[in-house]
Amino acid sequence: MLENLLTPETRTDPYPFYRQVFARGPVVKAADRFFVVSGFEEASALLRNPAFGHPEPEVLPDPHENEPVDDQGRVIRSFLALDPPDHTRLRRLVSKAFTPRMVEQLAPRVEELAKELVSKALEMGEFDLMAEIARPLPVVIVSEMLGVPLADRDRFEGWSHAMGRALDPSFLIEKETVAAAVAARREFVAYFRELAKERRKRPTGDLFSDLVSVSDEGDRLSEGELVITAMLLLVAGHETTTNLIGNGMLALLNHPEQHRKLAEDRSKIPNAVEEMLRYDSPVQLTTRIALRDATVGGESVGEGDQTVVLLGAANRDPRAYEAPDRFDVDRPSPRHLALGQGIHFCLGAPLARLEARTLFETLLGTGHAFHLTADPVWMKQVTLRGLDGLRLEFA
């Protein structure tokens, strides 16, 4: 059923396929012990239900892989892939360093960088939005936030892109993609281990230094937890924002009347960013395993059964939205699942929103029109939906 997600047509536009899936029901048993959820309310309920989560993998790590492991020999996973109480502990510690105030203090730097990147694009006349703006903005911000040396940022972008491609469900991933992700992860681990040693000796006031020293009633991040958390923040901190910017710009280009509305009244931008997230979600799906017998949308799901939640489909559920396939920057307070739900709601949501709002303010504030000069090029992955290339020209 989900193999259709790999076709070139579906990669370019998955929403006709999602409508076919939804027509079979908001929750469908697609195979033995395998369910697909495409309805908004059903997906929202599942993501908030503690009966669904991420059980401990049965296969222990190969010690030669240099994987961070805990005292019991278990692979240290990011809190994104943990259940309570481990998730609760790790997220609480990270939240003490990654605070709303810290994000608020980044606003002037985000604005400065957005203006710098857009100014360079204006000088070029014709440019690739993804290469010149959508990738550099979030990767520079998250790198500066973590205290990553400027010379190493290109390496991080390559590593995180390789790991992002491996987020697809296992039955949709090619062996070459897995191998590249494993190699990138190994490089990430080695790099952050060395950086952790430096920050323990000489804190520099960045987020990584804060993570090294953060504590909660004496509890601290272990070295392995610190390394994996830094990897998560760097990968998640720019991959999804890059896709939000690219997908959002393409939506504006494909809907010139909405583009005009936004250019004429930039106070609509915060609401428009939420509509961009709903309309063409940077994260299209997520998976959960039933930790015990449960019910979703009237369907009985047994312990150990796998569920795939199609966030992109849920965000266009006709029961939740009027004219769900219409891109509307005036849509009233658009609810969506693009940033998750429940205990795994995106920790970096305030930063992603800040970066997207600031960039669209800057682009629209130039007073220039812009249009496509070539067909958009989509990335060859399913979970993260984004563009490889989006060539534009300022008029």
Side-chain angles (χ1 to χ4, degrees), residues 97 131 176 178 215 243 287 308 340 386:
E176 294 79 7
V178 175
S215 67
N243 293 349
T287 60
V308 172

Side-chain angles (χ1 to χ4, degrees), residues 92-368:
R92 184 175 62 244
L93 282 168
V94 175
S95 296
K96 282 180 172 289
F98 194 90
T99 63
R101 177 173 174 75
M102 184 203 69
V103 174
E104 182 181 324
Q105 291 173 337
L106 288 171
R109 175 57 178 146
V110 173
E111 183 177 357
E112 176 188 41
L113 183 58
K115 287 180 178 178
E116 177 186 320
L117 294 171
V118 170
S119 178
K120 287 181 179 178
L122 273 169
E123 292 175 5
M124 295 171 68
E126 183 178 351
F127 64 100
D128 183 345
L129 179 85
M130 306 310 295
E132 303 300 332
I133 297 176
R135 292 193 191 102
L137 177 68
V139 79
V140 167
I141 293 299
V142 75
S143 296
E144 289 181 350
M145 187 173 67
L146 284 168
V148 171
L150 177 63
D152 295 331
R153 287 173 191 158
D154 288 344
R155 297 163 66 192
F156 281 137
E157 189 173 352
W159 291 341
S160 62
H161 186 60
M163 291 176 64
R165 292 187 65 186
L167 292 175
D168 289 347
S170 58
F171 55 88
L172 297 178
I173 303 179
E174 299 174 347
K175 290 181 179 179
E176 294 79 7
T177 301
V178 175
V182 169
R185 180 183 174 91
R186 188 179 298 118
E187 297 283 352
F188 252 136
V189 167
Y191 183 94
F192 276 119
R193 275 186 166 147
E194 288 303 311
L195 192 61
K197 291 177 183 177
E198 291 181 20
R199 293 296 185 268
R200 289 189 194 282
K201 294 176 184 176
R202 291 179 292 275
T204 54
D206 50 55
L207 176 59
F208 197 70
S209 297
D210 290 345
L211 289 170
V212 168
S213 61
V214 73
S215 67
D216 182 37
E217 296 182 355
D219 186 17
R220 290 179 180 272
L221 294 171
S222 68
E223 182 200 65
E225 291 168 342
L226 178 65
V227 166
I228 297 303
T229 297
M231 287 170 53
L232 170 65
L233 291 176
L234 200 142
V235 175
H238 86 269
E239 286 285 343
T240 52
T241 307
T242 292
N243 293 349
L244 166 58
I245 292 168
N247 297 0
M249 176 58 73
L250 185 58
L252 288 177
L253 292 167
N254 287 336
H255 299 83
E257 74 290 349
Q258 299 299 312
H259 187 180
R260 282 193 296 273
K261 280 185 183 181
L262 220 51
E264 291 168 2
D265 184 0
R266 298 206 300 276
S267 70
K268 297 177 184 287
I269 287 176
N271 196 74
V273 167
E274 298 307 309
E275 175 69 346
M276 292 170 184
L277 284 163
R278 181 202 72 84
Y279 180 77
D280 204 3
S281 305
V283 180
Q284 288 281 301
L285 62 85
T286 187
T287 60
R288 296 288 190 276
I289 303 294
L291 305 178
R292 53 182 178 271
D293 292 349
T295 301
V296 181
E299 292 285 340
S300 296
V301 180
E303 180 180 350
D305 289 356
Q306 183 175 4
T307 62
V308 172
V309 182
L310 297 177
L311 303 174
N315 283 337
R316 295 212 189 179
D317 183 342
R319 302 170 305 167
Y321 308 99
E322 181 181 349
D325 293 322
R326 183 181 70 211
F327 178 68
D328 182 2
V329 299
D330 289 319
R331 189 179 294 276
S333 302
R335 301 181 302 158
H336 58 74
L337 300 178
L339 299 171
Q341 193 83 201
I343 65 171
H344 291 294
F345 183 78
C346 179
L347 181 68
L351 179 57
R353 286 173 164 136
L354 169 66
E355 291 173 337
R357 289 197 307 263
T358 303
L359 180 58
F360 284 108
E361 279 273 5
T362 306
L363 281 166
L364 295 170
T366 64
H368 289 268

Side-chain angles (χ1 to χ4, degrees), residues 1-3 5 17-18 21 25-31 33-39 42-44 46-47 52-54 167-172 283-290 296 301 304-314 337 382-383:
M1 181 183 188
L2 294 184
E3 285 77 5
L5 291 171
F17 171 67
Y18 290 160
V21 174
V27 180
V28 174
K29 186 173 185 179
R33 309 198 70 185
F34 185 86
F35 293 80
V36 177
V37 182
S38 59
E42 292 79 8
S44 179
L46 186 150
L47 295 176
F52 293 89
H54 306 277
L167 292 175
D168 289 347
S170 58
F171 55 88
L172 297 178
V283 180
Q284 288 281 301
L285 62 85
T286 187
T287 60
R288 296 288 190 276
I289 303 294
V296 181
V301 180
D305 289 356
Q306 183 175 4
T307 62
V308 172
V309 182
L310 297 177
L311 303 174
L337 300 178
V382 173
T383 297

